[in-house]
Amino acid sequence: MDQERIGGDGFAFEGNWRDYAPIAFTNLLLTIVTLGIYRFWATTRTRRYLWANTRFIDDRLEWTGTGRELFLGFLMVLVLIGIPFLFLQFGAQALVLQGHGGLAAILTLAAFVTIFYMVGLARFRALRYRLSRTWWHGIRGGSDDQGFGYGLSYLWKTAVGSLVLGLMIPWSMMSLWNERWNKMSFGPHMFQSAGNDGPTFRRFLLFYLFPIAAVVLGVVFAFAAAPMGGLQPGGNAGRLGAMVLVMGLFVLGIYAGLGLIALAFYAKFFREAVAGLSLTGLNFHFHARTKDWFLLFLGDIGLVIGTLGIGAIFLQYRHWKFFVTHMGATGTIYTDELTQSQTKTSRHGEGLLDALDVGAF
Amino acid sequence: MSDFRFWHYDGVTAVRRSVLLHPAGAGFVLEEPESGWIGAPTDWSDLTVVGTEGSRSAYGHSAIPGWRMGFSGEASPQIAAHLPRGERYGRWIDRFGFWQAAGAFTLVAALIVWGALEAPGVIAPLVPQSWENRMGDAMVGDFGGRFCHTPAGDAALQALVAQIDPHREARQVALANIPMVNAVTLPGGRIILFDGLLQQAGSPDEVAGVLGHELGHVRHRDTMTGLIRQLGLSVVLGGAGGNVGGYLNGVLAMSYGRDAESAADGVAIDRMGEARVSPAATAAFFERLGGKDDGTEARAMTWLSSHPLSADRRRRFAAAVKPGVPYRPALSQAQWQALRGSCAADPDVAKFWGRGL
């Protein structure tokens, strides 16, 4: 009985949007009437529901984060970062007005670098926070790393990633993912992350191929259309209208094309990243393909537009469900060896992340 | 005791146990008959609610992280009587009830927003003028050397100020080498006219109108009010998070508000009347800036972007023209030319794009 062999996917989502709706609507109302302050408690209620309806093997997850600690984290960020930046903003304005533009530029650059560092730090700490509040079989995750080193890595790896026309971006993304997860643990076991960015590179190259293809296509089309335009009975006005229409479609096509490439790349990236992740005897997988991501976002857009925006309160639910239903695990876990995590837990939540508005996963 | 089974984790390992609950003293003991495992005695008062989701209930131990027990369905009444009740919306809201709490929050929120909008007007006059002056000086300094100075131009500006602001309510009125059709009042009672405004203006009377209006902002300390409002809103709306707060903040803080603008117009008309400068030209100036072919992009760079034009404003200036009053131009033709040429003639003035910006 101490050993669980995993059949099927390991993960399952057993929630239901009708059960979630009362939570979503009351969250919305309370968030509005409290000028946004309730959103910390709203997040907590949502996560409690989502986690409690996520089954891993034989039992459900459990979220023990509180709105209070998220709120404390927010206040901390407000005091530690918000107020200095407010002064900096006024200071830089004053410097520019007095003609010390160079100094103002240096200050602004320093502020930008600091913010960038904070984004990295925030990502790390948000993941740590979420793992430390996630329980399964009475055991939680966490990390003993504070994430300050990760912040530096984030800074330089992102900078390097943008070199050589951005060709290093897949490497920088994957290496940061690995670095983040290798510092995390669940119970006594460290996560091991060995995601490989190599297989994602072909799709990444599409970003470079697409503009070239678009230009070639555009030129070919222009040459093909030029003589035909002359034959149109509408004359000049008709030709102009057709040109504008074609140009509009062309621009729209470029945006849609780049969006699809981004989706295809990210789908592959996420599959590779999760496939590289393991926890002692467990290996994780993510099954969503580009089509699944596409349908997810198409559904999101339809939901939000169709409900004039109100449907946005269900996005978190939809994304979690998508995440869980496409998540899989194989291998063996020994519950008697899965002992309690000894990592420290902070009493404040993901304030930094919340303030900088970046995602954790 | 009954054979009602609970599931249990001890918080030490992930091993799941199926246990019976035996009441003991002020609490209970859990036992797994199959393995002979018996847990440590637990007080009912140590139990915390972890979650009640559908028919499933889970409880924790206040002192042992990860210690869990739970069940599906209904526990026997004897046990259920001891189990703590969970939170739903949060402790405060649960205590008052959802709708009562929502109503109370709405009231408080309305008070806070109203306070954030109204309080600056009350607080600003209480800020010592010397503080505001020092803050203004720190912020502006010498404006990066962009003030235009020529002997004749300075004299002309002084002549204009002497008429519109005889009591020297503004600490400084200066002309800046910036090609925007604009004028600003900065903290510390400083009025800065931009060269672009002078070039756009058809007569010194128009500039006198703008100067009078800005003087109104100085007199009513509207910049201080605006600063405090912006600070207050960014704190209050910081809670709303995301872009909504930012947009709302920007919209609310952008102008001093209709009442302040209207009051400033009143000061302008008043001062012009006393100086016997006709408000007619100012009305025409509004019409010229606001109307016709120049699009919104051009207007964004002008005085009107922060001083929204309404037909009422223009009419008010037009109506202030009193027949029979011997109006005279705000400046002589020579003075007006000297003032307008001041920035072009000053060899030392910093160019707008030259430094910093």
Side-chain angles (χ1 to χ4, degrees), chain A residues 8-332:
Chain A
D9 268 355
F11 287 92
F13 186 70
E14 297 175 343
N16 172 321
W17 73 267
R18 280 177 223 87
D19 293 340
Y20 176 68
I23 297 177
F25 281 108
T26 51
N27 274 349
L28 178 68
L29 181 75
L30 286 170
T31 303
I32 291 171
V33 300
T34 57
L35 295 173
I37 301 287
Y38 187 75
R39 76 192 146 103
F40 307 103
W41 284 266
T43 303
T44 301
R45 284 180 69 212
T46 295
R47 286 198 191 144
R48 260 179 211 282
Y49 176 84
L50 296 177
W51 264 240
N53 285 289
T54 300
R55 189 170 50 71
F56 180 58
I57 313 176
D58 64 333
D59 205 356
R60 293 156 187 257
L61 301 182
E62 186 188 291
W63 177 260
T64 60
T66 64
R68 190 190 153 89
E69 68 195 5
L70 287 179
F71 183 57
L72 279 178
F74 169 76
L75 288 184
M76 257 175 58
V77 167
L78 208 65
V79 171
L80 293 179
I81 298 175
I83 290 178
F85 268 87
L86 200 70
F87 272 97
L88 196 70
Q89 200 191 346
F90 273 103
Q93 242 170 38
L95 281 173
V96 169
L97 281 178
Q98 297 187 24
H100 301 292
L103 198 60
I106 290 172
L107 261 179
T108 311
L109 186 73
F112 176 75
V113 171
T114 310
I115 286 273
F116 214 81
Y117 175 81
M118 294 285 183
V119 170
L121 186 66
R123 287 207 147 185
F124 186 93
R125 297 188 87 126
L127 183 57
R128 186 179 79 152
Y129 169 73
R130 288 181 191 189
L131 276 169
S132 73
R133 299 298 188 270
T134 298
W135 298 74
W136 180 77
H137 276 226
I139 304 294
R140 66 172 173 84
S143 172
D144 269 329
D145 195 284
Q146 298 274 314
F148 296 121
Y150 179 83
L152 285 179
S153 293
Y154 182 79
L155 210 58
W156 78 259
K157 284 181 180 172
T158 309
V160 166
S162 61
L163 296 178
V164 214
L165 296 170
L167 278 172
M168 302 280 275
I169 287 176
W171 165 82
S172 121
M173 280 171 72
M174 191 61 87
S175 125
L176 285 168
W177 163 280
N178 288 338
E179 187 173 339
R180 207 156 64 224
W181 277 98
N182 277 326
K183 298 259 166 62
M184 301 292 155
S185 60
F186 200 89
H189 308 302
M190 292 297 287
F191 278 98
Q192 282 176 323
S193 183
N196 181 8
D197 57 289
T200 68
F201 200 70
R202 260 201 357 229
R203 295 194 183 194
F204 191 73
L205 281 180
L206 289 177
F207 277 116
Y208 301 84
L209 197 66
F210 179 71
I212 299 172
V215 167
V216 170
L217 208 74
V219 169
V220 168
F221 191 80
F223 272 107
M228 259 165 51
L231 297 176
Q232 270 179 10
N236 263 342
R239 195 164 4 154
L240 201 69
M243 285 272 281
V244 169
L245 189 73
V246 167
M247 282 300 286
L249 285 176
F250 192 67
V251 170
L252 207 68
I254 283 182
Y255 274 107
L258 285 176
L260 278 177
I261 291 172
L263 215 56
F265 167 70
Y266 194 70
K268 180 76 176 168
F269 177 87
F270 206 70
R271 283 204 302 276
E272 288 295 327
V274 176
L277 195 64
S278 60
L279 180 78
T280 89
L282 287 177
N283 294 305
F284 297 98
H285 313 281
F286 197 70
H287 304 297
R289 309 201 63 86
T290 308
K291 195 185 90 185
D292 304 314
W293 285 92
F294 181 71
L295 290 176
L296 173 73
F297 287 124
L298 211 62
D300 280 358
I301 294 167
L303 177 67
V304 171
I305 293 176
T307 59
L308 300 176
I310 300 285
I313 58 177
F314 284 99
L315 291 185
Q316 209 179 347
Y317 172 94
R318 277 174 58 81
H319 294 170
W320 180 259
K321 184 180 173 185
F322 177 81
F323 174 68
V324 170
T325 48
H326 289 96
M327 192 74 189
T330 49
T332 315

Side-chain angles (χ1 to χ4, degrees), chain B residues 123-163:
Chain B
I123 296 170
L126 301 179
V127 176
Q129 185 68 47
S130 60
W131 289 17
E132 188 190 323
N133 292 352
R134 241 177 296 161
M135 198 176 76
D137 293 350
M139 276 176 70
V140 183
D142 71 343
F143 218 58
R146 288 190 205 91
F147 290 137
C148 309
H149 290 293
T150 57
D154 288 358
L157 188 59
Q158 287 316 312
L160 187 66
V161 171
Q163 294 177 71

Side-chain angles (χ1 to χ4, degrees), chain A residues 1 29 33-36 38-39 45 48-49 59-60 62 86 94 96-98 101 135 137-138 335-336 338-340, chain B residues 9 11-16 50 53 56 66 68 88-89 93 105-106 109 138-140 143-144 231 239-240 356-357:
Chain A
M1 74 159 258
L29 181 75
V33 300
T34 57
L35 295 173
Y38 187 75
R39 76 192 146 103
R45 284 180 69 212
R48 260 179 211 282
Y49 176 84
D59 205 356
R60 293 156 187 257
E62 186 188 291
L86 200 70
V96 169
L97 281 178
Q98 297 187 24
W135 298 74
H137 276 226
T335 51
D336 54 344
L338 186 59
T339 53
Q340 192 55 274
Chain B
Y9 301 113
V12 179
T13 74
V15 174
R16 183 183 176 95
V50 167
E53 192 61 56
R56 291 169 285 123
R68 298 284 185 268
R88 190 163 177 205
Y89 300 106
I93 300 174
F105 280 134
T106 309
M139 276 176 70
V140 183
F143 218 58
L231 204 70
L357 280 170

